[in-house]
Amino acid sequence: MNEPFAGAAEKPIPEIWYGIPHGYVQVDLDPPVEQIEELVQQVLALPDGLRAQAEPVVQFYAGFVTALNKQNARACLLGMHLDEYDEPATSVITFSTVPAHGTSAKAIIAGTAADTVDGSAHPLELPAGLAYFSEEERRTPAPGRPAEGSDGPLMGDIWQGTVAVTGSGGSEIVVIQLVTSAVEMAEDFRNILLGVAHTLSFSDPSLSGDEAGTGAREPEPDSVVAAVRSVFG
């Protein structure tokens, strides 16, 4: 894995920590204005050919971050792996929180898993609390230009896995979602998503109870960090 753990503590409760699997990098969802301005200036300074290639990337990043913030995303991980043909397979993992609006989060999660007719969702017992897992394959608009003469946008198939976990206060639900267009690797990405879900913690996994005030970083053998290393190697 790239990092033993990461936190998303800048936004309102619950604070969350999670393991970052190998091949994923954290996306800054709240970049400083100065950083964006510097990036824009760097792009504008490029030669015409390179600038034409770089501008859509910057625009995509800006739109991507804006969309995630509108959906109350707490954190985002971008992943790139190789498929069986050594071609890049990309995926996105997002963490978000959903208020239970006065209803027990546990009741919502248990009810959702029980009421799913097609069996696509089932309950999970995670170290962080009661959860459910669901998955689906669906067709959705894809990046790129549609074929000439096409009436609609370019379409593609994606696999989407979702884990919903009761928050630390019992009134929030933490949603972990993985989306990829590499539907043929669904089993691999399912294992990644479930592995990340098992590392979710509502307390800093780098500190034991006695070490919380000392800043010690060495995890206990049975801690969440140790579990992260066990899951991801």
Side-chain angles (χ1 to χ4, degrees):
M1 67 187 312
N2 301 331
E3 300 287 345
F5 59 87
E10 297 81 3
K11 296 186 178 181
I13 293 173
E15 296 182 354
I16 58 176
W17 284 262
Y18 46 86
I20 302 180
H22 176 74
Y24 286 86
V25 295
Q26 186 113 19
V27 177
D28 188 353
L29 296 182
D30 190 21
V33 175
E34 296 79 7
Q35 179 178 317
I36 298 299
E37 291 176 345
E38 181 181 354
L39 179 61
V40 170
Q41 291 303 317
Q42 290 175 351
V43 171
L44 292 176
L46 292 172
D48 291 345
L50 290 176
R51 187 173 66 218
Q53 298 178 38
E55 284 180 351
V57 176
V58 175
Q59 293 171 358
F60 172 79
Y61 171 67
F64 180 69
V65 169
T66 300
L68 287 177
N69 281 318
K70 286 182 178 179
Q71 297 172 19
N72 199 29
R74 300 287 305 282
C76 175
L77 308 175
L78 291 183
M80 180 173 291
H81 301 80
L82 296 178
D83 62 17
E84 58 180 321
Y85 304 106
D86 288 334
E87 295 293 328
T90 58
S91 60
V92 179
I93 299 176
T94 56
F95 299 78
S96 57
T97 52
V98 180
H101 295 298
T103 305
S104 167
K106 289 184 178 181
I108 292 176
I109 287 179
T112 301
D115 293 341
T116 304
V117 177
D118 61 3
S120 60
H122 59 269
L124 292 173
E125 286 289 347
L126 298 178
L130 180 66
Y132 78 78
F133 165 76
S134 64
E135 62 181 311
E136 64 173 328
E137 288 186 20
R138 56 188 173 86
R139 199 156 182 80
T140 186
R145 294 181 179 179
E148 187 174 349
S150 175
D151 295 331
L154 184 67
M155 303 294 288
D157 295 322
I158 64 167
W159 178 86
Q160 177 178 296
T162 302
V163 173
V165 190
T166 52
S168 58
S171 60
E172 309 91 4
I173 297 173
V174 177
V175 179
I176 312 170
Q177 198 164 69
L178 189 154
V179 178
T180 180
S181 59
V183 294
E184 70 281 357
M185 296 176 64
E187 182 176 355
D188 296 315
F189 286 112
R190 183 188 304 115
N191 290 335
I192 290 175
L193 174 60
L194 292 175
V196 170
H198 276 81
T199 71
L200 182 70
S201 174
F202 297 114
S203 59
D204 189 340
S206 69
L207 307 175
S208 68
D210 295 335
E211 296 167 338
T214 66
R217 307 292 291 182
E218 186 63 28
E220 294 295 323
D222 295 329
S223 69
V224 175
V225 173
V228 172
R229 292 173 180 170
S230 175
V231 172
F232 297 123

